[in-house]
Amino acid sequence: MTPDVLAELDDEQRAVVEALHGPVVVLAGAGTGKTRAITHRIAHGVATGQHDPRRTLAVTFTTRAAGEMRTRLRALGVDGVQVRTFHAAALRQLRYFWPRLSGGEFPELLPAKARLVAEAANRCSLPTDTATVRDLSGDLEWAKVNFLVGDSVGIRAAQVRRTLSVDAAQLALVQEAYEEAKTRRGMLDFEDILLAMAGALDERPDIADEVHGAYRWFTVDEYQDVNPLQQRLLDLWLGERDDLCVVGDANQTIYTFTGASPDYLTGFRQRHPDATEVRLIRCYRCTPQIVDLANAVIGRAPAAGSSLVLRSQRGAGAPPTLDSYDDDVAEAAGVVRRVREHLDAGIPARDIAVLFRINAQSAELEEAFSEAGIPVVLRGTERFFDRPEVREAVTRIRGAARASEAAGPLGEQVRAVLSSAGWTPEAPRTTGAVRERWESLAAVATLADELAPTLGDSLPAFVQELDARAEAQHAPVADGVTLASIHSAKGLEWRVVLVVGCSDGLIPLQYAETPAQVEEERRLAYVAVTRAADHLHLSWAAARQPGGRASRTLSPFVVGTLEGSGSREAPRRGVVSAGSGRARGERSRKGPARCRVCRKALVTGEERTLGRCRVCPVDINEDLLDALREWRLATSREKSVPAYVVFTDATLMAIAEQLPRSESALELIPGIGPMKLAAYGPQVLELVQHHT
């Protein structure tokens, strides 16, 4: 078996496989075959008799990754190796030793924290809605993996500039109440498993000796995602020995908000001066064009000089594309067109993925794919209409519609209902579940604005439209295009990847304010880009909704990268070349638009589209306006899209008022970007000429 195992490897992978003794650190870039290298290393150690499979433990972070490693080891003829997640390995050991530790029955495992966290929050007079409980759970997990209790939670949060979901003193009270609730019920959560096993190894020499006798050789995958508690457990597993192989990529560190730290990976040789270090930079997944873009994105980081620079081992492919759109609706439609092109070219739907930064972005995509009849599979997020906050919102809106008490514009009616559910016009300054809940409800409010021209001010009609959309998006989708958040896409790959929302404020996220937060957003962009094997399409929209103010700008991570600017020359072998980073520039700020009649600042989106205050007198060509509405209706039916997707009512009124005679004049009207100008400009100008 050994010659065959070694023959399948490149020089660097072979160096990993043959380093069978002592500490080994593998710095492995995206698509460089890290799983191949470490599984072949285990197989080579077993085949040569230098490793005992029954005393070998490999740990990773997901059951999917563990399953993949087990499958590869079986294919290499290796049996008996324990391949588990950190939690599964610790749980197995803790169950075995529990009679010696306690003498009683093993505690019940808490499947999810939500119920007990809500109970603890209620005892502390804090909100218990789903989003708040989720964020509190995240803070409690972060505190536990960092060994923080009481006042130390707030002190450490201030040191690392972590924004807590509640005041530090309140969180300390919730932490105490949560631990008391678990103790009363005799339950353990997932962090307790690691903590209890670490405590057993630390305090019971007999248990430590038995574990050390059971396991001698350790492999840790995705080592950049290790948190302090996991590192402590790993150190106790090892004891005084150093037969440890770790593999990871600091460029893909995207979970620091959970307590993960790349310092254990990057500082491995400081802790183990005699360690073997191997850098895998030969990318077998991505084409040279995609690799160049990935290198350019990560190469602008301040610490780029110490990061891995990939070198593609594939032949030339299609260059990545960058598409700009007027608004999110147009972007979703453009993404569907791109996907349709690849489907027509014979690429299966399961080999295509659309990635986004926050879950709220999936709403427009789900709708666009549903209308196009293209099945989708959502990964790492609930379908938009399945989210608890959206279900609650629809239920409340349905109740208001039955009561028939609401009046006024549709958008105002819907916002009044959402306000009763705790929604506010002002976005929260957090990036967790509270922010995602707000984004979901804001999407419902925006949908009401968009449908108002078609539905009028009828709340029952809006409810019917919501039900129809929900039903269409719940169709069976056994094999479809993957819609996924970037976080949930880590470790996966597709032939075709489309990354949406590449605008400043989404990538990087608006509330990434510290340098460390901005750099984590950069690494997220890098992860997104390197999921693509053959085709990569980036896109962004200038406005959130049709006719909205085009206030967005292209992501600073993307500016200039498609032309190769900022990329570094990749070495042929594992040597990193020096690079320079660039600071994130300040966003330019523009003054408010002015009324063309009275010169006062325009406040609403409708006023900015019209170019005037609603109360200012103005002449309007009613015949032209009627003709434009008839044309819009016919065009929307021809394209099978809602009328507002073509042009909003405000845009049509602006055309009928301003009577543009040229494409340049027409383009000055808000809501008419380059794509709509190309698609509809000649027809609109012909109508203007005919009616004037």
Side-chain angles (χ1 to χ4, degrees):
M1 180 180 69
T2 305
D4 292 337
V5 169
L6 297 178
E8 297 176 358
L9 309 171
D10 63 31
D11 291 344
E12 291 77 33
Q13 292 171 346
R14 182 166 181 153
V16 174
V17 170
E18 293 181 330
L20 293 177
H21 301 288
V24 179
V25 56
V26 184
L27 305 177
T32 57
K34 68 177 180 65
T35 306
R36 169 188 289 268
I38 58 177
T39 52
H40 280 63
R41 179 180 184 272
I42 294 172
H44 182 54
V46 171
T48 58
Q50 299 180 69
H51 289 185
D52 182 346
R54 294 167 300 178
R55 298 186 64 197
T56 299
L57 175 62
V59 290
T60 185
F61 285 84
T62 66
T63 54
R64 181 192 60 79
E68 174 67 17
M69 289 181 67
R70 282 193 290 267
T71 299
R72 295 199 187 196
L73 287 171
R74 281 197 301 269
L76 292 169
V78 178
D79 293 316
V81 173
Q82 295 292 318
V83 184
R84 302 180 182 276
T85 65
F86 264 102
H87 285 93
L91 178 59
R92 185 171 185 266
Q93 295 174 19
L94 190 62
R95 284 187 184 278
Y96 177 79
F97 290 114
W98 191 258
R100 251 188 277 178
L101 293 169
S102 171
E105 293 186 1
F106 192 78
E108 182 182 352
L109 295 179
L110 188 64
K113 292 183 176 66
R115 183 168 59 86
L116 292 191
V117 172
E119 178 183 315
N122 185 55
R123 286 182 58 189
C124 298
S125 301
L126 291 173
T128 58
D129 59 276
T130 302
T132 300
V133 168
R134 195 187 315 168
D135 284 349
L136 283 171
S137 299
D139 286 339
L140 294 176
E141 291 173 12
W142 172 80
K144 184 166 287 186
V145 302
N146 283 282
F147 306 101
L148 302 171
V149 293
D151 295 340
S152 64
V153 177
I155 295 172
R156 183 58 178 162
Q159 290 173 342
V160 299
R161 300 182 70 178
R162 177 185 177 92
T163 302
L164 299 175
S165 55
V166 295
D167 179 79
Q170 292 177 308
L171 184 62
L173 294 175
V174 173
Q175 184 186 49
E176 182 179 0
Y178 171 68
E179 295 299 331
E180 288 177 355
K182 281 191 305 170
T183 301
R184 287 196 307 272
R185 291 169 172 79
M187 305 183 78
L188 297 177
D189 63 24
F190 283 107
E191 288 70 46
D192 289 330
I193 295 168
L194 302 181
L195 201 61
M197 192 60 222
L201 291 168
D202 196 26
E203 299 172 9
R204 293 285 298 269
D206 58 322
I207 291 177
D209 288 343
E210 193 165 340
V211 170
H212 294 162
Y215 298 108
R216 169 66 187 276
W217 295 276
F218 296 86
T219 301
V220 183
D221 189 19
E222 302 288 1
Y223 192 56
Q224 77 279 348
D225 291 332
V226 164
N227 63 45
L229 177 54
Q230 291 164 334
Q231 181 62 46
R232 177 60 179 158
L233 180 60
L234 178 60
D235 289 339
L236 291 166
W237 279 340
L238 279 166
E240 299 299 322
R241 303 163 301 172
D242 63 357
D243 280 311
L244 170 66
C245 175
V246 300
V247 58
D249 181 8
N251 288 344
Q252 298 188 65
T253 304
I254 58 174
Y255 291 106
T256 60
F257 62 91
T258 67
S261 172
D263 294 344
Y264 298 116
L265 175 66
T266 58
F268 190 83
R269 295 192 70 185
Q270 281 70 49
R271 299 193 310 279
H272 302 278
D274 57 342
T276 299
E277 178 182 300
V278 182
R279 299 191 172 206
L280 304 183
I281 62 168
R282 305 191 198 202
C283 180
Y284 297 93
R285 174 191 301 159
C286 312
T287 63
Q289 289 78 5
I290 295 173
V291 163
D292 286 346
L293 177 58
N295 286 337
V297 169
I298 206 66
R300 294 179 173 185
S306 60
S307 64
L308 297 173
V309 183
L310 298 179
R311 184 178 183 87
S312 177
Q313 303 300 295
R314 299 186 53 195
T321 65
L322 175 63
D323 297 321
S324 61
Y325 297 94
D326 292 341
D327 49 67
D328 288 349
V329 174
E331 183 180 19
V335 165
V336 169
R337 287 194 297 271
R338 284 279 191 190
V339 168
R340 178 67 73 186
E341 291 172 2
H342 289 294
L343 292 174
D344 292 343
I347 295 180
R350 62 180 175 274
D351 290 335
I352 304 174
V354 182
L355 307 182
F356 43 82
R357 176 62 183 87
I358 59 175
N359 291 339
Q361 292 174 264
S362 73
E364 297 291 355
L365 295 166
E366 292 175 50
E367 178 184 346
F369 277 101
S370 177
E371 290 181 352
I374 299 175
V376 298
V377 176
L378 273 80
R379 176 183 289 274
T381 180
E382 299 160 298
R383 287 181 174 273
F384 181 77
F385 287 100
D386 285 347
R387 296 172 192 164
E389 63 269 21
V390 175
R391 291 202 305 268
E392 179 188 357
V394 173
T395 299
R396 288 176 177 268
I397 295 170
R398 192 187 313 279
R402 289 172 178 168
S404 301
E405 297 175 353
L410 181 59
E412 292 182 6
Q413 294 182 56
V414 170
R415 284 176 173 81
V417 175
L418 298 180
S419 296
S420 67
W423 182 81
T424 61
E426 185 71 20
R429 293 189 60 82
T430 61
T431 59
V434 170
R435 173 73 185 193
E436 289 185 0
R437 180 180 189 276
W438 185 91
E439 291 281 1
S440 296
L441 297 181
V444 175
T446 300
L447 182 62
D449 293 334
E450 296 170 354
L451 293 176
T454 304
L455 303 179
D457 297 330
S458 172
L459 207 57
F462 183 58
V463 171
Q464 291 179 358
E465 179 67 19
L466 290 175
D467 290 342
R469 292 180 180 227
E471 181 179 0
Q473 292 166 10
H474 288 168
V477 286
D479 180 21
V481 174
T482 299
L483 303 184
S485 67
I486 300 174
H487 277 101
S488 66
K490 187 174 179 292
L492 304 175
E493 62 181 84
W494 295 269
R495 290 180 61 187
V496 180
V497 170
L498 301 94
V499 185
V500 303
C502 295
S503 59
D504 195 359
L506 286 172
I507 304 177
L509 205 62
Q510 179 180 359
Y511 294 107
E513 296 175 340
T514 68
Q517 290 169 339
V518 171
E519 290 314 306
E520 179 136 343
E521 294 291 316
R522 184 191 306 279
R523 294 192 294 271
L524 268 170
Y526 175 82
V527 167
V529 167
T530 54
R531 299 311 93 196
D534 301 330
H535 301 276
L536 175 65
H537 305 291
L538 311 180
S539 63
W540 70 288
R544 180 171 181 174
Q545 61 187 31
R549 185 166 63 92
S551 59
R552 294 174 178 166
T553 58
L554 182 61
S555 167
F557 300 156
V558 177
V559 173
T561 54
L562 293 181
E563 294 77 28
S565 172
S567 64
R568 296 172 288 155
E569 182 180 355
R572 300 190 66 85
R573 303 184 65 155
V575 178
V576 179
S577 60
S580 60
R582 296 181 183 177
R584 180 179 177 183
E586 293 183 326
R587 300 177 188 170
S588 60
R589 298 182 180 274
K590 300 180 180 179
R594 300 284 176 178
C595 173
R596 54 192 168 87
V597 179
C598 69
R599 303 306 300 165
K600 291 183 179 179
L602 301 178
V603 178
T604 68
E606 180 185 9
E607 288 180 340
R608 288 191 289 270
T609 300
L610 292 173
R612 62 171 176 83
C613 302
R614 295 188 64 179
V615 297
C616 285
V618 69
D619 292 330
I620 185 169
N621 189 318
E622 296 290 351
D623 292 339
L624 173 58
L625 183 59
D626 290 340
L628 287 168
R629 285 171 173 162
E630 291 179 5
W631 164 81
R632 181 182 65 174
L633 179 61
T635 302
S636 66
R637 289 174 175 172
E638 178 186 344
K639 295 182 175 293
S640 300
V641 297
Y644 69 86
V645 173
V646 181
F647 282 135
T648 64
D649 280 354
T651 300
L652 295 186
M653 290 181 64
I655 295 171
E657 291 177 7
Q658 299 179 36
L659 306 178
R661 303 300 182 95
S662 64
E663 289 192 353
S664 59
L666 184 60
E667 192 174 13
L668 292 176
I669 297 176
I672 304 179
M675 293 190 62
K676 290 189 177 181
L677 183 67
Y680 308 127
Q683 302 169 57
V684 171
L685 291 174
E686 182 178 348
L687 286 172
V688 172
Q689 182 178 2
H690 178 74
H691 288 275
T692 55

